[in-house]
């Protein structure tokens, strides 16, 4: 029973994430985030294209009421990258009612990835809870 609840919650989380990222792009408020950290994770990716790495990017943006919100994302890029000096900025989207759900604006543009994540979450919920 606990396994079923856990897997169902995982599926629901995937659906919320997939739909939420699209909704951020449509109705999310805009702000400008300051890049606070850029870290390369692991070594070179094992892909057909050589010289690609995974980067963890941290950012911070201010809300109109003065509160500061931190966020993070991952990005795949080449071996050349700029260290965070506190001067780099990027546009970010967030929900006014829940600013902790936020993402860089480049990740909220509609694409094929978000619906696939939401559909996969729905499939997980359906498969785990159908009558056996």
């Amino acid at each position: 029973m606990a396994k079923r609840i856990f897997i169902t919650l995982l599926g629901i989380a995937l659906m919320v994430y997939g739909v939420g990222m699209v909704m951020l792009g449509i109705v999310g408020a805009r702000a400008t985030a300051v890049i606070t950290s850029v870290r390369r994770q692991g070594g070179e990716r094992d892909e057909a294209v050589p010289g690609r790495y995974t980067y963890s990017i941290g950012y911070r943006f201010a809300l109109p009421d003065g509160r500061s919100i931190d966020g993070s994302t991952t990005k795949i890029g080449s071996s050349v990258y700029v260290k965070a000096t506190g001067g780099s900025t990027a546009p970010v989207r967030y929900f006014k009612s829940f600013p902790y759900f936020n993402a860089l604006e480049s990740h909220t543009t509609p694409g094929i990835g978000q619906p696939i994540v939401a559909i996969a979450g729905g499939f997980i919920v359906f498969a785990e809870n159908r009558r056996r």
Side-chain angles (χ1 to χ4, degrees):
M1 183 66 174
K3 175 188 148 198
R4 183 171 160 182
I5 292 171
F6 176 75
I7 291 176
T8 300
L9 289 175
L10 178 65
I12 291 170
L14 287 172
M15 289 189 302
V16 168
Y17 178 78
V19 172
M21 292 301 276
V22 171
M23 293 305 296
L24 271 178
I26 297 170
V27 299
R30 283 189 172 145
T32 300
V34 175
I35 306 298
T36 57
S37 66
V38 178
R39 295 185 181 156
R40 189 164 69 187
Q41 297 178 329
E44 187 174 349
R45 294 173 60 89
D46 188 22
E47 295 178 343
V49 179
R52 293 173 50 89
Y53 295 86
T54 302
Y55 295 96
S56 176
I57 301 170
Y59 56 89
R60 177 176 291 141
F61 64 97
L63 297 176
D65 65 4
R67 289 185 294 160
S68 181
I69 305 292
D70 292 320
S72 65
T73 189
T74 57
K75 187 174 181 179
I76 298 170
S78 68
S79 60
V80 179
Y81 69 99
V82 178
K83 286 280 193 185
T85 61
S88 300
T89 60
V92 67
R93 293 277 193 142
Y94 67 95
F95 289 123
K96 287 182 180 179
S97 59
F98 189 66
Y100 300 102
F101 192 94
N102 60 70
L104 293 178
E105 192 168 30
S106 61
H107 293 175
T108 62
T109 55
I112 192 71
Q114 297 102 336
I116 288 174
V117 170
I119 290 168
F123 176 76
I124 289 171
V125 170
F126 172 76
E128 187 62 31
N129 293 298
R130 69 176 202 255
R131 296 213 178 250
R132 298 188 177 167

